[in-house]
Structure formats: C-alpha cells, structure tokens
Amino acid sequence: MGQFQMDVKFDRDFVVFYTNGYINDLGGEKIERTCEDILREGYRKVIVNFSESPIINSIGISILIGLIDRVKRAKGSVCFTNLTLNNTEVFEFMGLTQYAPVFPNEEEAVRFTMGHA
Amino acid sequence: MADGELCIQNALRMAPKDLFFDREPEIRTILDMCLQLAALPAQSCALMGPRRAGTSEIAKRIYKELFINQESILPFWYGFDRVFQDPVHFARDYFSQLVRQYLAFQGKDPTLLLPRVIRFEAIERMVTDCSDARLHGLRDDFNAALGDADRTALLAFTLQVPEVLAQGSTGAACVILDHFHRVFRMNWSDGASLTELFPQAMGSPAVPHILTGQAEVLQRHYLSMETTAGRIRRISVAGLDSKRALEAFLAFCKRYDVAVEQEAAAHELHRFQGIPFYMLSVIRRARQEGIALNRWDAIRDTYFAEVEKGEIAFYYDSLLNRCCPGPFAKRDAIRILSHPLLHAGSRLALEELAKRLLLDLDAARVLVDALASSGLLAENYGMVAPVENPVFDDFLRVAHRYWIGRVGSDEIRKDLFRGTQDVPVLTELKKDEVSEPGRKEKHRVSFGLVLPMVSETELVAARAAEQVAERVDFPEEDIGRIRMALIEACINCFEHSGSEDGKIYITFTLDTEKLSIVVEDKGVSFDPKKVPVPHRPEGTGAPSRRGWGLELIRNLMDQVVFEDVPVGTRLRMVKYYPKDTGLKAQAG
Ligand SMILES: Nc1ncnc2c1ncn2[C@@H]1O[C@H](COP(=O)(O)OP(=O)(O)O)[C@@H](O)[C@H]1O
Ligand SMILES: [Mg+2]
C-alpha cells in the first residue's frame, strides 16, 4: 500500500479524482485538500474513482462524508465509481449511497454528473 | 597510548570507533592465529566477505592490536591504494612503507606512521639516522637491487623484506595486505607480476600474510592458482547476524541523531544484509533529509532513495563506470547484468544473451570480463549473472528502469517493493498459548501477531488475516469483510486505547467451523454498551461522520464480543465458514 496518491482529471465542467492506495486519515485528507483546491478554482462537480483503492477505513469514509457535505453546500455534486463490492456494501450500510450516488463505472458517473444542473 | 592509537587510526584511515560495529569474534580468531606464531607455523589467509562487509576494517584492527598490545610479531600493513605501472615504483613504495612501520614498531613511536604518503628518500634518511646496522645492510641490498636491470629479482627481494626484518629481530611478522585485488591490475612488461611472486612470500611459516579484497576477484585470480590453492586459508566474513545488525542499526541512528523505532528497524533489517555500509548510507540520508526512521516504510523509502540516487547508488555506479569505456557500454552492462533479474533468475550463456540483447559478441565478451574482474559479475559454467548481492540487485533493477525503461521513480519504487510488500510473520501458537475459554477442540490451529501501533499497521494485520483466511476457502467477499473488520478493530486500539506498551495483540484461530480473531490492547477499558449508535439518514441527509467502527465490525462479522480483561480491551470476532468448506490444512 504505502503512500496514497491521487491524480486529477479536468473534463468539461467536472473533475475526476483517481485515488490510488489506502484511504485512511492521511489519504482522506489529501482528497479533501484537493477538493478544496478545485472548489476554489470554480469547479462544482466531482467524481471520485476508487478503482485503485480497494481498502478504505471508517476514518477515510468520515472524511468523504465531510467532502460530500462541503460540495453540496457549494451547490455541487459528488458521486463515486469503481468501488469494490465490499466497499459498496459498507457505503450502503452507512447510508452513504443515498447521500452521494455510487456507479459501477465512470461513464455512468459522467452521465449523472453532466445531467446535474 | 591514546595518541598512539589515534596515529594508527589516522594512518590507516580507520572508521571511528562508534561506527565500527563489534567484530570481536572475527578479530579474536585471526589474532589468536597470529599470536600462536611463536609455537606454530601460521598460514596466510584471505578475509573473504561480500562487498562492503568490512573486511578491511577488521584487518586494520588486527594491525592496531598487533602494534599496541604485543612485541613478538612485527606488524606490517600495506594498502594497495595505487596501481603502479612500473615495478620500480611499486618496489620503492612497498619497501618504504614496511621499513617505516618497522621503525615505528621497534621504536614504539606510532607518529612515524604519519603522513600516509612518504618519499623513498625520507625513508633512506631515517635508516641512515638509526643505529640499526642490519637496516643499513638491508637498505644497501635494496639499492643494489634497484640498480640491477632484473625487475623480477627486485620484486622478489622486496616481497621478502618482512621476512628479513623478522629474522633479524622478533623472528615473526604478520603482513596485512589490504585491497589485494588491485594487484591483478598491475601487470608490467618487464619482469614477473606480483600475482606470480607473492605466493612465495606468503608461504613463509613465520610471516603469514592476511589479504583483504573482493572475494570473487581474489578467488578467481589468486586463490585458485597452482601456487596458492589450498595454501591460503579462506576466512569468510559474513554480514552481521541479525541481532548484531539490529544493535548496529540502532547505535548508528543514535550516533547520527536519527529517530528510530526498534520494531520498524527489525522489519526492514533484512535489506541491509548485515552490512554496516548500507545501514549507514540510509541513516545518513535520513539525517540529511530530516527523516525519522520510526516506521518501516520510512526506512524502506529511504533505502530506495539510497539505491536510486544516494551513496549506495554512487558506489555501484562508480564500480560500473570503471568497467565501461562509455555510456553505451554502461547501458549494455546494465542490460547484461539485469537480464537474469528480469527473467526470474534464469541465466544464459553469453552467446545467447548477446543474441537476445542484440549485442556484438566480442564487445560483450570484453565487457563481461571487465565486470567479472571487478567482482560484479560471475560466470558459472558459462552462464552469466550478477554476483549474489540483493542490494546490488535492487540497484540494477532501478538502473535498468532508468537507463533502458525510462520509467519514473514512483513506478520503479512500486515495482521494486511489489514482491516484498508487508507480508507479516505469523507465529503458530501452541495450544496452551491460546487464551480461548471453553472446551478444547481437536482440530484447531492458532496464529499470533503482535503489531506496534504505528501508522498503517492495520494493513499488516489485514494481510495476515488474508493469509489465514485463504487457508479455509473463504469466498473473496468474506475475506474482504474480515479484512475491514480487523482494520477497524486495529485502528480503535490505535486511536482510543491510549495504551502504553503501544502494541496490538492479535490471535487468529481456525477450528472446524469458524475463524476467530482476537484483538487486544493493554490500554483503557470502555463499556461498549454505552457507545452511541451512529445515525443513518432516512432520506438524503448526511450520516454521522464518526462512530461507525463497532457498527461495521458487528455487521461484517457473524459474532462480536468484548471479553472482560483486567486491563485494556479484548475484542473477539468470529466468522463462520460457508457450508462445505473447512480447514484446508490442519495444523499447518
Ligand atoms: N480498543 C478500544 N479501547 C478503548 N476504547 C475503545 C476501543 N475501541 C472502541 N472504543 C470506544 O468505542 C467508541 C466507538 O468506536 P467506533 O465505533 O470505532 O467509532 P470511532 O472510532 O469512530 O469513535 C470509540 O469512540 C471509543 O470510545
Ligand atoms: Mg473506530
């Protein structure tokens, strides 16, 4: 696992975060900081692609909840893609999937995001 | 005497005391052999060790001991630091150093050992000034040999000087020849080579010679000759064993003021092969960059930086450069050396290798010979491979990716550590070590793991859980559930226990129907019934942020109980096997 890393893709009016590695407090904070940066740049729509992050702990998730909160307050949208089956189960259990939708792949997430005003 | 010691240290450029990690047993063995000289004929020996194992340092200490603590054996030291093109120059240098050391030892005046470089004329003057008539004679004989055209005779005479000096005084001498492998580079057109002449001097029973140098090169060019085979004892000097290596690592960290965690160090120690040079390179870098080595991944990453661009890289890089006439040759050398590493260790004959790498066979031959005589490559039964050395392997992998793959360093780093990623060591516990109440099942096997509470330690626990769960054919999604539950249990210990011993104790038990995992800390206790249940939103509101750990564990596992313990917290969680599966391999 080791260091968490994240790539960011800017596409039309949204951004996609590609997380890579364990999402714990450190990983979560990195995502949060990047999110603050892109909000400051004027972006309001975020897709987080978790394909390279099979392991997410509850502290990481708590930061993700904060992030959704933050983007929603800015009248934006957040959605998730490429979660593992296990993590989808966990997100559902916590009621997170109602708060921010989860898609199996990026295309569907993009479609959802583009539809968002 | 302290000043005298300092003189010797400076003259031989010895590593300072606190950087030289105790080689007492090795030094003792060789000294004992030397000190018995009066009674028994001694045999010359070669200290053979992996690169940078510290054989020179051992030899230097033997010289120091002989110089300071005894009187019956003349100690001599010669470091082959220069490659002479002319036998006369070598002879003068060798003679000068030996005579000077003789005067220093006999006069108990180590200051004579300095400066390191000394002119032949200065030695002649010293000899003239002393009252030792035998030395005058020796000087005259040497000058006569210099005047003669027969270079072979001159060299033979020079190499016998220790014996002549011993005969005229104590009767015995010990000659330490450091970096002896450089001798093989001194080949002159007039007269026999040192390689041909040294064996005779080394055969003297009263004047054992102790050689250090690159093991593979000594073996190949010297120890297997007819005149030396079986006559020179090989003393193998391995890296420090793991206990001494750990002590050394911790001591070096202290010396350089670098924070370190013993468990993290122990986890990564295998990388250094017990060789202080590698440890020191990593520790010095940590100091320079202000890195604390209190996590195993910090040590690993610093090691990677060292192999990529630090002292270790510089060391191997300069060895490579010496073998290669230019950048293209270097590129080819890296391709040749790393081929077996990139192909699961399979070795090829040079012809085949040249074909596959599209190299000119003759040029490749020259390169391989150069690499072999530098001790970087070994040719066994015609098959070519780098010498066995895991650190050199790492260097080669990195160099290969840079020079040939043109890959970025993150990518390389990931590659390099892929195979070795945090696989925890599980110890199988005996039945009575398992603190499981109730009846003892017959088919049961337990594994223990104690983890330091350092960041991301829970991933190590998760890896262990996977290893255990894989023994019983848990389906993939159950393994994922177990993994997450265990991660949550560990981070709770980490976050909430405030434990002083800073450890998490984990036991995995497999029996006929279930996997039980006990996670325990020795911190504060708490009442799980009083923990508030987190809020799950009805509509599209936000869920509680924190407080999900226990809820998740209960949901992911089949049974979860907190057991009463006098101190701390003990959580037991159970997952039942799916129907039709069971323990694959009992007790192992
Ligand atoms: N190993 C432990 N030692 C002490 N207290 C613990 C331990 N594990 C859990 N707790 C207590 O249980 C509470 C709930 O834990 P958890 O459900 O994981 O949520 P969170 O960790 O987000 O607080 C913690 O806040 C803590 O008070
Ligand atoms: Mg928790």
Side-chain angles (χ1 to χ4, degrees), chain B residues 261-269 293-297 299 452:
Chain B
E261 232 268 63
Q262 179 159 343
E263 302 218 12
H267 188 275
E268 290 301 294
L269 209 60
L293 299 180
N294 47 15
R295 289 168 40 155
W296 67 268
D297 51 350
I299 300 177

Side-chain angles (χ1 to χ4, degrees), chain A residues 1-3 5 20 22 24 26 55-59 62 65-66 69 86 89-90 93-96 98-99, chain B residues 301 413 421 456 458-459 477 480-481 484 487-488 536-546 548 555:
Chain A
M1 309 292 143
Q3 249 97 44
Q5 285 169 358
N20 189 325
Y22 183 32
N24 54 359
L26 301 174
I55 306 184
I56 308 179
N57 74 18
S58 68
I59 306 179
S62 75
I65 296 173
D69 207 32
N86 279 125
E89 188 178 277
V90 168
F93 175 74
M94 293 172 64
L96 215 84
Q98 295 159 31
Y99 194 42
Chain B
D301 290 349
R413 184 178 157 283
Q421 219 172 49
E456 297 189 9
E458 66 275 17
L459 294 181
E477 62 273 21
R481 290 180 186 120
M484 174 132 199
I487 286 177
E488 290 302 320
R536 194 180 285 103
E538 289 300 321
T540 52
S544 305
R545 291 209 192 162
R546 294 302 308 269
W548 283 101
N555 180 256

Side-chain angles (χ1 to χ4, degrees), chain A residues 58-59, chain B residues 487-493 495-496 546-550 553:
Chain A
S58 68
I59 306 179
Chain B
I487 286 177
E488 290 302 320
C490 288
I491 56 181
N492 275 352
C493 299
E495 250 199 317
H496 305 300
R546 294 302 308 269
W548 283 101
L550 297 182
I553 295 172

Side-chain angles (χ1 to χ4, degrees), chain B residues 398-428:
Chain B
V398 173
H400 186 272
R401 304 295 310 263
Y402 264 133
W403 280 68
I404 289 99
R406 309 220 169 274
V407 183
S409 95
D410 279 347
E411 201 51 26
I412 301 174
R413 184 178 157 283
K414 241 192 258 164
D415 256 28
L416 196 62
F417 297 124
R418 181 161 294 150
T420 58
Q421 219 172 49
D422 49 68
V423 179
V425 185
L426 289 171
T427 37
E428 188 167 339

